Amino acid sequence: MLIETLKISNYQWNPWAFPPVIGCLYFIILGSFVYLKNRRSALNISFGFLCFLGFIWQAGLIMMLMSKPPFYPLFWSKCIGSSVVFIDLGFYLFIINFISVKNRLYKSIAYLILAKGILFGIMVVSSDLILTDLKKHAFGYYLKAGRLHPLFLAFFLFVLIYSFSILFQYYRSSGSRLKKIQAKYIFLSLIVLGLASVDYVPMYLKISLYPFGDVFVVTSFSILAYAIIRYRALEIDTVVHRTFLWLVSILFLILPVGLAYGVFRARLFGTGLTGTAFLISLTLILFLVYYNAFKPRIDHFFRRKKYDYQMVLAEMPSRIGSSLDLQVLSRNLFRELKEILYIKNALLLIKPPDTDHFEVMDYSGYQNLIQQSRNQFQNIQFSSDHPLINWFKTHQRILEKDQVEMDSRYAPVREEALKLFNACFLEVLVPVTMQDKLVSILGLGKKENLRNYLARDIELLESIGKQIGITLDNALHHGDIVEKERIAEELKLGRQIQTSLLPHGPPQVMSLSIHGLMEPAKEIGGDYFDFISLAEKEKAGIVIGDVSGKGVAAGLLMAMVKTAVYIFSRTTDSPKDTLMLINDILVRHTGGDKFMTMLYLIWDARTLTLKYSSAGHEHILLLRNSSRDMEVIESGGLILGIRPDIGDYLDEKELKLNKGDKLLLYTDGATEAPNFLKERFGMARLQDVFIRNQSKASAELLQAIRNEIFTFIGTQPQADDITLVVLEA
């Protein structure tokens, strides 16, 4: 009878069987992978059991939908029913193993659920109490519910809800953030699994609805797979990247090849070997296309993006050394290493000034590893003559846990090194040195993608250890806390003074609305803008400039220039002459070491004109109200402070405005603002945001442009001062 049931002649291709084919492959690949990675884990076994039940269900559905005579669909419906009755048990076992319960009550309940499954399974196979006769639908044969099928559903839902409540109690009581995230995804998978009950609609109602519940089941298991891959919900201490990549490629490969087979099967197989060879070639081509298309996206998802060795070394000091505060510096270091190598946890051991031991100064990523992190690390100290410290002073090489365990060269420090590795969940210890001096020790844990540290990673870490030694040593010996606070307070005061030098509001001038802002990159910036009233509401001066560099020196130069511009604007009404006078002062007092760009404009309300002159400043952006067209007006000119007598390099021009015309002035900090991808905001984006917001009033337009720039920058540190000025006639 079994041989007769499996005869190919009793079946025919049914396009409605294609979705279960995808589900069948999905379950067998995912379940086998998880189970084989850790066959001793009860959690992995329960997940594999779930996938096995899903595989039987989908395989039975495929055969039932493709069967010709009524007897064979009935046989396969019994196979489906005998697997579905245990799915609730599989989910229950998965949850109690996930939360690692030790209470015997939960295990006793599992036996009761198993007994229930066996009882219903016997009824499915030997009677029509659960599943009765079959009905022919447009999509193929499908089973009908028996008298006790509602009772089976009630038990099934009860077990799922009970499992849900156990998981919810665990979620509320768990102190681990990672476990909470894992539990959330399991919650979601249970909810989606409940939606699979749509399969029972054609069993109870007199409608021909395709049983698409397998979509919800596959989605439910996909959510679990995501929790496994992204948040390590199962005990798989290996890289799942390559397996998942092949799985996705194969699944997407099946779709077009399956369609091609369904449409062209007669022609392809009618030609014998030629058709078969064509199908195989098409399969290989499609697989290569899909593999190459999905690989970059999956690499990003699984944190396998490769780093540029030289770029990392070039940018590391500036990225972490923006502060002399050790806490800030260490956080910057941890952040950069996490972005480059995807480390899960790290710590930094230093020798504080006036002490004779190394201790843990800072750590990151231990929230899910140990509950009492601070107490754990307070007990970790190494005297300056400790064997491990002496080894680092002598050899100044990285220690890797795997090598320390096996290589006899590390026998003198093996015991002490392994204590530190195991106590702090570390894989690598990196000596941070300055010349021959051991400044600190950087400990790194496993990578988030669970890959081993490669030779190029170790080489990079050795270079970083030598490179950041000076930065750490400077921070350690910068001075006591009072001195740091004094410097910070002085910088704060300097910023307040600089802010007070900027305009506190728009000038009162006829026929022109003016608004501006400056966002310094450091406590004290080098950008500058000002509004100067020149006549009784009829004339006004507008000036914007950018001093080379940032910090205190640039701020002092900016204050000097502001005073000079204010004085010279009273003695001449020529923007060009004003710039020439400013240039003379800069050359005389800075000797060519400091320079700046500047754009000076004078508004005349009587003629609605702007008279202006530029010294190497950014272009002017003009939006005409009548045409809504963007005009880019080149500023030109030579920057101030690099040479005397620049009159031949400066021009003075006029610009006629009409009512509603808008101008945007800015410094290069706006167009060159970078995001985390190293992309610059650029002139194109600046013009685009100007055009999109042109209908707004000048004050609102200014804020819209400012917000767009800082949204683009995101969490990246601001690279340069940003100044914006908007004028509206």
Side-chain angles (χ1 to χ4, degrees):
M1 181 60 69
L2 181 60
I3 296 175
E4 187 71 21
T5 304
L6 297 177
K7 276 189 176 181
I8 298 177
S9 60
N10 292 322
Y11 302 92
Q12 62 184 358
W13 170 248
N14 183 354
W16 293 104
F18 184 70
V21 170
I22 299 295
C24 192
L25 288 171
Y26 183 85
F27 284 127
I28 195 64
I29 294 173
L30 181 63
S32 301
F33 170 75
V34 170
Y35 171 70
L36 293 174
K37 287 303 178 184
N38 195 341
R39 285 176 283 186
R40 296 182 179 181
S41 166
L43 184 61
N44 290 39
I45 292 172
S46 59
F47 186 84
F49 175 62
L50 262 176
C51 289
F52 176 69
L53 295 174
F55 168 74
I56 294 178
W57 172 39
Q58 294 292 286
L61 187 59
I62 294 168
M63 303 305 292
M64 188 174 72
L65 292 174
M66 294 197 302
S67 298
K68 290 180 182 178
F71 171 76
Y72 302 111
L74 185 61
F75 172 80
W76 291 111
S77 71
K78 300 292 185 180
C79 293
I80 294 172
S82 62
S83 66
V84 172
V85 296
F86 292 105
I87 286 181
D88 55 348
L89 171 65
F91 253 99
Y92 177 79
L93 292 174
F94 178 80
I95 287 174
I96 64 173
N97 285 314
F98 169 74
I99 64 179
S100 302
V101 294
K102 305 299 182 183
N103 194 326
R104 291 186 177 181
L105 174 63
Y106 290 103
K107 295 184 179 180
S108 301
I109 293 174
Y111 285 118
L112 290 175
I113 300 173
L114 174 63
K116 181 271 301 179
I118 293 173
L119 178 61
F120 280 117
I122 292 172
M123 287 191 284
V124 165
V125 174
S126 61
S127 72
D128 60 356
L129 294 174
I130 306 297
L131 300 174
T132 182
D133 200 5
L134 293 171
K135 182 180 179 181
K136 180 70 173 179
H137 294 268
F139 51 81
Y141 286 102
Y142 200 69
L143 37 84
K144 295 169 67 176
R147 285 176 295 170
L148 294 184
H149 193 271
L151 181 63
F152 156 71
L153 279 183
F155 274 108
F156 188 89
L157 291 175
F158 174 78
V159 174
L160 285 185
I161 294 171
Y162 180 64
S163 303
F164 192 96
S165 66
I166 295 173
L167 191 62
F168 182 70
Q169 292 176 6
Y170 171 78
Y171 174 82
R172 294 185 62 184
S173 60
S174 176
S176 169
R177 178 176 173 272
L178 179 62
K179 286 292 185 181
K180 283 182 178 289
I181 293 174
Q182 294 170 350
K184 283 181 182 179
Y185 281 101
I186 298 175
F187 276 136
L188 183 58
S189 68
L190 278 173
I191 294 171
V192 174
L193 180 66
L195 298 176
S197 57
V198 71
D199 266 10
Y200 299 121
V201 172
M203 295 175 62
Y204 285 92
L205 303 179
K206 295 181 179 180
I207 57 175
S208 185
L209 178 68
Y210 178 72
F212 57 90
D214 53 334
V215 174
F216 294 110
V217 176
V218 169
T219 303
S220 174
F221 279 70
S222 298
I223 294 170
L224 284 178
Y226 178 81
I228 293 168
I229 295 164
R230 184 67 180 86
Y231 295 107
R232 317 299 173 208
L234 294 186
E235 298 169 25
I236 301 176
D237 192 20
T238 185
V239 181
V240 298
H241 163 272
R242 187 77 48 186
T243 304
F244 192 74
L245 174 59
W246 277 76
L247 177 62
V248 171
S249 300
I250 290 171
L251 287 179
F252 278 87
L253 174 65
I254 290 172
L255 182 61
V257 174
L259 292 174
Y261 171 76
V263 175
F264 301 110
R265 65 184 186 279
R267 297 180 182 178
L268 291 175
F269 289 98
T271 57
L273 291 176
T274 303
T276 304
F278 175 76
L279 185 62
I280 293 173
S281 301
L282 177 64
T283 302
L284 291 174
I285 293 171
L286 287 174
F287 183 80
L288 290 174
V289 171
Y290 281 123
Y291 185 87
N292 292 326
F294 279 95
K295 187 176 187 301
R297 293 169 175 81
I298 296 176
D299 279 345
H300 176 71
F301 179 80
F302 287 98
R303 299 177 173 270
R304 292 170 57 96
K305 185 174 63 177
K306 295 182 180 179
Y307 54 82
D308 187 316
Y309 183 92
Q310 297 298 333
M311 183 178 293
V312 170
L313 290 182
E315 295 182 354
M316 181 65 75
S318 61
R319 286 186 171 276
I320 72 168
S322 59
S323 173
L324 290 172
D325 187 302
L326 268 175
Q327 196 78 22
V328 175
L329 195 150
S330 64
R331 291 290 159 176
N332 291 343
L333 176 60
F334 294 154
R335 183 193 67 234
E336 292 300 317
L337 290 174
K338 186 178 181 65
E339 290 183 3
I340 297 166
L341 296 174
Y342 306 123
I343 59 170
K344 294 175 68 175
N345 56 287
L347 59 80
L348 189 65
L349 292 125
I350 66 164
K351 180 180 173 292
D354 304 324
T355 65
D356 194 36
H357 63 269
F358 284 77
E359 62 184 40
V360 177
M361 190 279 297
D362 198 9
Y363 53 88
S364 175
Y366 283 90
Q367 296 86 345
N368 302 313
L369 297 177
I370 49 181
Q371 296 295 323
Q372 302 296 328
S373 300
R374 191 168 298 279
N375 294 335
Q376 177 87 4
F377 292 128
Q378 283 178 347
N379 299 323
I380 298 177
Q381 291 187 357
F382 299 97
S383 63
S384 296
D385 58 353
H386 188 277
L388 189 59
I389 302 300
N390 284 334
W391 191 93
F392 277 122
K393 289 179 179 178
T394 304
H395 297 87
Q396 296 191 359
R397 291 205 313 268
I398 287 179
L399 283 179
E400 298 178 69
K401 183 180 179 181
D402 293 341
Q403 292 188 5
V404 170
E405 288 176 331
M406 297 182 294
D407 198 325
S408 59
R409 291 178 299 170
Y410 303 105
V413 292
R414 178 174 295 145
E415 183 179 354
E416 295 297 331
L418 289 178
K419 283 182 182 179
L420 181 59
F421 280 126
N422 295 327
C424 299
F425 304 92
L426 301 176
E427 297 295 316
V428 175
L429 292 173
V430 182
V432 179
T433 60
M434 185 183 69
Q435 296 177 348
D436 294 330
K437 176 185 177 182
L438 180 65
V439 178
S440 68
I441 299 173
L442 175 64
L444 304 178
K446 291 182 178 180
K447 296 184 179 182
E448 289 184 353
N449 55 16
L450 297 179
R451 296 185 68 187
N452 294 325
Y453 286 89
L454 305 177
R456 70 191 303 265
D457 297 335
I458 299 301
E459 183 182 355
L460 176 68
L461 289 171
E462 284 183 341
S463 300
I464 289 175
K466 296 174 182 177
Q467 192 178 51
I468 66 174
I470 297 175
T471 305
L472 279 174
D473 193 67
N474 288 340
L476 275 169
H477 300 90
H478 175 65
D480 56 27
I481 297 176
V482 175
E483 181 67 13
K484 292 181 182 179
E485 290 179 346
R486 184 187 66 80
I487 294 173
E489 189 64 29
E490 289 183 357
L491 290 173
K492 181 180 178 181
L493 179 60
R495 180 165 187 167
Q496 291 174 352
I497 294 172
Q498 185 182 47
T499 303
S500 68
L501 295 175
L502 296 174
H504 297 293
Q508 298 299 316
V509 59
M510 292 189 300
S511 306
L512 188 68
S513 174
I514 312 174
H515 291 85
L517 62 82
M518 185 190 77
E519 297 281 358
K522 292 188 175 181
E523 286 82 0
I524 300 177
D527 276 10
Y528 157 60
F529 78 97
D530 201 4
F531 308 138
I532 306 167
S533 298
L534 299 178
E536 185 66 22
K537 297 186 179 181
E538 291 183 351
K539 284 189 176 184
I542 303 101
V543 59
I544 183 170
D546 185 2
V547 179
S548 62
K550 296 180 284 292
V552 176
L556 290 173
L557 190 63
M558 169 265 200
M560 181 182 72
V561 170
K562 173 186 170 65
T563 304
V565 170
Y566 185 84
I567 294 172
F568 295 141
S569 66
R570 305 295 177 181
T571 62
T572 177
D573 62 353
S574 168
K576 176 180 177 180
D577 292 344
T578 302
L579 294 184
M580 292 171 61
L581 292 169
I582 298 297
N583 181 70
D584 291 340
I585 290 179
L586 289 177
V587 171
R588 187 181 306 118
H589 291 285
T590 65
D593 293 330
K594 281 289 182 181
F595 50 88
M596 70 179 296
T597 67
M598 183 178 287
L599 178 62
Y600 182 40
L601 310 93
I602 297 178
W603 167 254
D604 191 336
R606 295 168 299 184
T607 59
L608 298 181
T609 57
L610 277 170
K611 186 164 53 173
Y612 68 94
S613 184
S614 172
H617 198 72
E618 305 296 316
H619 300 328
I620 301 170
L621 299 184
L622 170 61
L623 268 175
R624 293 291 186 184
N625 185 44
S626 57
S627 62
R628 300 287 179 174
D629 292 333
M630 170 74 70
E631 295 180 25
V632 180
I633 302 171
E634 295 186 1
S635 297
L638 185 67
I639 58 178
L640 306 178
I642 60 172
R643 58 169 296 168
D645 303 322
I646 63 170
D648 293 338
Y649 302 95
L650 302 179
D651 293 319
E652 190 170 285
K653 302 176 183 178
E654 284 192 357
L655 183 62
K656 179 73 174 180
L657 298 185
N658 299 314
K659 185 173 178 58
D661 291 350
K662 293 183 175 70
L663 266 77
L664 175 61
L665 314 178
Y666 54 93
T667 57
D668 60 1
T671 52
E672 295 180 4
N675 63 8
F676 74 101
L677 295 174
K678 308 301 180 189
E679 298 172 335
R680 299 187 183 277
F681 188 76
M683 177 64 78
R685 288 189 178 91
L686 187 63
Q687 293 180 24
D688 177 64
V689 67
F690 192 16
I691 293 172
R692 283 191 285 109
N693 294 276
Q694 62 181 304
S695 60
K696 296 179 179 178
S698 55
E700 295 175 349
L701 174 60
L702 181 73
Q703 286 301 319
I705 298 172
R706 184 258 182 211
N707 294 341
E708 188 90 2
I709 294 172
F710 279 92
T711 299
F712 176 83
I713 294 173
T715 57
Q716 280 292 101
Q718 187 179 335
D720 197 3
D721 306 329
I722 296 174
T723 300
L724 302 169
V725 176
V726 172
L727 289 71
E728 180 179 4

